[in-house]
Amino acid sequence: MFKLSKKVQALPPYLFLEIDKAKRQARAEGRDIIDLGIGDPDQPTPKFIIDALSQAALDPANHRYALDQGMPVLREAIGDWYKRRFNVNLNPQTEILPLIGSKEGLAHFPLAFLNPGDLSLIPDPSYPPYKGGTILAGGKPYLMPLSAANSFLPDLKKIPLSARKKAKIIFINYPNNPTGACASDDFYTELIAFAAKNKIIIISDLAYSEMAYDGYKPPSILEYPGASEVAIEFHSLSKTYNMTGWRIGWACGNRQLVAALAKVKSNIDSGIFSAIQLAGVTALRGDLDYLRSMRGLYQQRRDILVDGLNRLGWTAIKPKATFYVWIKIPPKAEAISFAARLLKDANIVVTPGVGFGKHGQGYIRMALTVSGARIKEALERIKKIS
Ligand SMILES: *Cc1c(COP(=O)(O)O)cnc(C)c1O
């Protein structure tokens, strides 16, 4: 009876219906499923953060509408964290905007700058809200293929002049979901020059900066000269502190870009629950032991999974960061049916790469969000069916 808007009709199809159905059915049958499909930490939020929330929740002053632009103490804690972690100076008044999780900010941002027909340059495969937010804002995604041949970095030189002219925004995400790839200094330098020359806004999604291994420290784009003229960076407590359900993140960087996002949001939502903001301050000012143990845990799981798969003759590469392993499937296999077979024959859930875009074909993503013992069990099961 009612007709969906053209924008909603243009959203990419959801490709996991079949797999979701098979997964639910397997669970209903009581089968012992090992779920490597979920990009959500399996560990609880650290207790010192929960304690801060409990205390703040008792204070009636925190029960009312929170300030749209976040509490000053939170903006200051974010600024201090950027200084400590990246040696980047941010003005808490004008260059930091708390978000109800970074996803909403990433999806809302295109509303501030896209007119009908404008392009967003979007890596493919990538986190779905980049495309969704662009389409809902009336823009069009221009896909930049990521492949092993280009180290999963967009090849800016291949973007034709016609696309550069119509593009207003470029999305990047390193350390990367789903590929686990990281960006080099050269890439950031080239990207900033490209953006400045073509008057394109850089959106850097830095959700995984703290989830890195073997001593690697992912940079912020704001460390590079010229970035503050053209870039806005999105960050979140979700992955770092096992707080995906809490919904707290932020955008920071160029003040015009931060103000534009704040303007859009002031028409759509209101501030994060104040008690969560105060718990976020505690997280950001917390000591570093927790981060060390979080990294150690995922690094151990990564090594068990990747070494195990390679022993079985698969080709998996150890990511330097993120909790994802991006795995090439046999040459003729198709990602969705390959994943369906793993579920049917081995009770293992993985994510087909095409769920992140057509250039994800030929890959599956496994998340390091189950224990080392369960990863070993998954390897045993794969061995039995291969
Ligand atoms: C998980 C994730 C986020 C974080 O989302 P929140 O809304 O902050 O929970 C952002 N970007 C990518 C690529 C992610 O995988």
Side-chain angles (χ1 to χ4, degrees), residues 101-103 106 127 130 173 177 205 207-208 236 238-239 247:
S102 58
K103 183 180 182 181
L106 290 160
Y127 186 52
Y130 309 154
N173 164 225
N177 173 15
D205 178 354
Y208 294 97
S236 160
S238 287
K239 308 294 163 46
R247 314 312 301 137

Side-chain angles (χ1 to χ4, degrees), residues 334-356:
E334 188 282 319
I336 290 186
S337 49
F338 188 86
R341 195 154 56 84
L342 274 179
L343 177 55
K344 182 165 161 285
D345 298 342
N347 288 330
I348 296 170
V349 175
V350 300
T351 311
V354 281
F356 303 97

Side-chain angles (χ1 to χ4, degrees), residues 211-226:
M211 219 177 244
Y213 317 112
D214 310 321
Y216 175 57
K217 284 204 139 222
S220 156
I221 194 171
L222 301 175
E223 292 174 37
Y224 296 86

